[in-house]
Amino acid sequence: MTATLSARPSRTGIARRGETALAVVVLLVAWEIFARVISGSFVLAAPSEVVVSLVENAGLLSRALFVTGGAALAGFVIGNLAAIALACGALLLPRTERVVTLVALVVFCLPLVATGPVLRVLLGPGMGPQVVLASLAVFYTTMIPVLVGLRAAPGGWFDLVWSYGRGEGAALRFVRARASLPYLIAGLQIAAPAAFLGAMVGEFTGAESGLGVLTIRASRDLDVELTWAVATVATVVSILAYALIGAIGRRLVTESPPIILAPTRPRVSPGHRLRTSVIDAAVFVLVIVVLWWGGIIVTDLDSFFARTPIDAVRILVGVDDEGAVRDELFAALGQTVALAVPGYLAGLAAGAGIAVLLVWAPRAADVTMPAAIALRAVPIVTTAPLIVLLLGRGPVGAITLVAIMVFFPTLVACLQGLAQAPGQALDVLRSYAAPTRTQLVRVRIPSMLPAFFAAARMSVPAAVLAVTVVEWLATGTGIGSLMALAASRSGYDLLAGAVVLVTALSALGYAAVGAIESRVLRVYAPEQQA
């Protein structure tokens, strides 16, 4: 009997691995056939061609991987340490949280077309810009989940700390840090492919070597096989990093999620809320102006391309040109919003929906997660031509590309949120033979809401950045195309105004999501209320 019982998990594991292998083979065969059908379009290489290119260029790819991997690892460590420090600081000083998160949002959503050349001028031809961009790609997407996790603890745990006469520092060390581990792991898993992609994108700005440089050269030479070989290397590295972080997380997080009982916070009067919002907005603007102006002074940027806050106001008001630049910017911004909003919503819906479906069919995760990581890890300069070929240069293709960028962080965050459903609550429902659907609606989805809204907030700037890149590479419309055109023509007034509008769009979107989140979590997760 014992031997029979011990053999069952082994047979189940073998069957699951067999199903996964079969699904992978089917996908590879479909990829091979599709690539052969469109072989004359120079946008997709077949798996057999990719393998040949990997073998023929093994030395070149390994050297480039060493360069890009080093920059990605350095950026991953620096960005995530900064994220954890900012999250802990904001929690210990709650009045600063809104300002800290908004400043972090502004830094995160600065367009590459504006920051890339400046970083290259300031830091030179070495690895500096790649490390900085890799850090910027990860710190915000880790900070937001960690902030959620630092609050995801039962009120009774804090009462125990207070009963021993200890303060917020002890609560942070012994309660909040432990409660935040699952969310930190999810943030790091999101950050792993983002850091690698950020390093590659940094190499697009003028690096001498690396996978990003190889991608540009292969695209220029129409070497589709090498382009997809580089994409395959980036995907494999990202999948391995994702799996390694997940394995470490499973060893560190061994307890079942607790039932979180938190006292409902008293309602704040509208007048007090308005005063707080006005003060926070004023402090936020002051901090941004100081950082902006101070950065120009400290780095001694040339006034030929550097614009001060006063210059930006004059551009957007139309003081010097009777509003010509302003009108052009707002017209382009309208086109950008028309693509960003549906792409953002589609990515959120797809990520959350597939996360819920994986609760019903967990075996599908063995195929779904590598595919999702690949969508995030492959540079958009590689995927954009394929999407444009399939869906055209119109709104459908652009919205699809934006949705792809939002999909992966939402999926990972929602899977983590669903896993935080308290086992005791699920056991109660199971004791009454409640079906999976009831468990989802009553326990799992409410437990997922904090993680879902964290993903929704951090995906706002990701969607805006994605749509500007798509407009630059594919559609030729909107504020992304306008920024690329301005940079190529040294139109720095237009570029500065565009950067301000893109940042403002991200901040307004973030505020809108935050307002909805506050109303929902006041009911379902009051411990998350700052």
Side-chain angles (χ1 to χ4, degrees):
M1 175 69 73
T2 303
T4 302
L5 289 175
S6 62
R8 284 177 184 170
S10 177
R11 288 201 298 267
T12 302
I14 292 173
R16 181 169 179 173
R17 286 192 290 271
E19 293 172 358
T20 302
L22 178 61
V24 171
V25 169
V26 170
L27 287 175
L28 289 175
V29 170
W31 177 4
E32 181 81 25
I33 294 172
F34 181 66
R36 296 296 181 182
V37 170
I38 64 169
S39 59
S41 60
F42 298 99
V43 296
L44 181 64
S48 57
E49 296 171 330
V50 171
V51 171
V52 171
S53 182
L54 286 170
V55 173
E56 291 179 348
N57 299 285
L60 180 64
L61 288 168
S62 60
R63 291 191 296 272
L65 174 60
F66 180 79
V67 174
T68 303
L73 180 60
F76 180 84
V77 172
I78 294 170
N80 285 306
L81 287 177
I84 295 170
L86 285 172
C88 293
L91 194 77
L92 292 174
L93 301 171
R95 285 292 294 119
T96 67
E97 179 180 341
R98 188 173 300 181
V99 174
V100 168
T101 53
L102 285 174
V103 171
L105 170 72
V106 169
V107 174
F108 178 72
C109 70
L110 291 174
L112 173 65
V113 70
T115 57
V118 173
L119 289 174
R120 187 59 63 186
V121 169
L122 293 176
L123 303 177
M127 289 177 56
Q130 294 91 289
V131 173
V132 171
L133 288 173
S135 302
L136 293 178
V138 304
F139 89 96
Y140 185 74
T141 55
T142 298
M143 186 185 75
I144 297 300
V146 169
L147 271 173
V148 172
L150 289 171
R151 295 197 183 97
W157 293 6
F158 297 107
D159 293 339
L160 183 61
V161 173
W162 312 146
S163 70
Y164 280 90
R166 307 297 294 273
E168 279 291 346
L172 177 64
R173 178 183 175 186
F174 296 108
V175 176
R176 296 191 187 277
R178 189 171 181 175
S180 69
L181 269 179
Y183 297 87
L184 172 61
I185 296 300
L188 295 178
Q189 287 182 305
I190 294 170
F196 202 82
L197 182 60
M200 288 182 65
V201 170
E203 291 166 350
F204 294 166
T205 63
E208 297 176 347
S209 59
L211 292 175
V213 176
L214 277 186
T215 300
I216 294 297
R217 291 176 181 172
S219 300
R220 182 191 60 201
D221 298 338
L222 294 180
D223 190 345
V224 182
E225 293 80 10
L226 180 58
T227 299
W228 282 95
V230 172
T232 300
V233 171
T235 300
V236 170
V237 170
S238 297
I239 290 173
L240 291 175
Y242 180 93
L244 177 61
I245 294 168
I248 294 172
R250 285 189 293 274
R251 293 185 66 87
L252 293 177
V253 182
T254 56
E255 302 91 352
S256 297
I259 295 178
I260 299 178
L261 299 177
T264 303
R265 297 178 182 272
R267 286 187 173 273
V268 179
S269 66
H272 181 271
R273 189 180 298 114
L274 177 62
R275 287 194 299 273
T276 301
S277 299
V278 170
I279 293 172
D280 287 343
V283 173
F284 163 67
V285 171
L286 178 61
V287 170
I288 291 298
V289 169
V290 170
L291 291 176
W292 183 351
W293 221 324
I296 293 175
I297 294 172
V298 169
T299 57
D300 194 26
L301 290 175
D302 196 311
S303 60
F304 174 70
F305 60 86
R307 297 293 182 269
T308 67
I310 292 180
D311 294 331
V313 171
R314 293 175 65 89
I315 292 166
L316 293 176
V317 173
V319 173
D320 301 320
D321 59 357
E322 298 181 352
V325 171
R326 178 197 61 204
D327 295 343
E328 188 176 7
L329 284 169
F330 278 99
L333 182 65
Q335 296 172 331
T336 297
V337 171
L339 299 176
V341 173
Y344 169 77
L345 295 176
L348 281 182
I354 291 178
V356 171
L357 288 176
L358 290 179
V359 174
W360 265 304
R363 292 185 179 183
D366 294 342
V367 176
T368 302
M369 292 311 300
I373 296 170
L375 288 174
R376 186 67 178 89
V378 176
I380 197 170
V381 295
T382 302
T383 55
L386 179 61
I387 298 297
V388 168
L389 174 69
L390 297 175
L391 303 176
R393 290 182 174 272
V396 176
I399 290 170
T400 300
L401 284 165
V402 174
I404 287 172
M405 299 301 291
V406 174
F407 165 72
F408 176 71
T410 304
L411 173 63
V412 174
C414 288
L415 284 172
Q416 179 58 50
L418 290 166
Q420 292 306 300
Q424 302 97 315
L426 291 172
D427 289 341
V428 170
L429 292 180
R430 289 168 185 151
S431 68
Y432 285 92
T436 303
R437 177 180 176 277
T438 301
Q439 296 175 34
L440 276 169
V441 172
R442 299 291 185 183
V443 179
R444 290 192 182 276
I445 291 179
S447 299
M448 182 190 78
L449 288 175
F452 170 78
F453 279 109
R457 281 188 284 139
M458 66 187 179
S459 294
V460 169
V464 174
L465 288 178
V467 76
T468 57
V469 175
V470 170
E471 289 170 336
W472 167 33
L473 294 174
T475 67
T477 61
I479 208 161
S481 176
L482 199 63
M483 284 193 293
L485 186 64
S488 66
R489 296 179 176 178
S490 300
Y492 294 113
D493 283 352
L494 192 63
L495 184 59
V499 170
V500 171
L501 288 184
V502 166
T503 304
L505 177 62
S506 297
L508 289 175
Y510 182 94
V513 173
I516 298 171
E517 177 187 28
S518 179
R519 295 181 68 87
V520 173
L521 296 191
R522 188 180 296 130
V523 176
Y524 290 99
E527 78 281 355
Q528 294 295 332
Q529 300 297 299

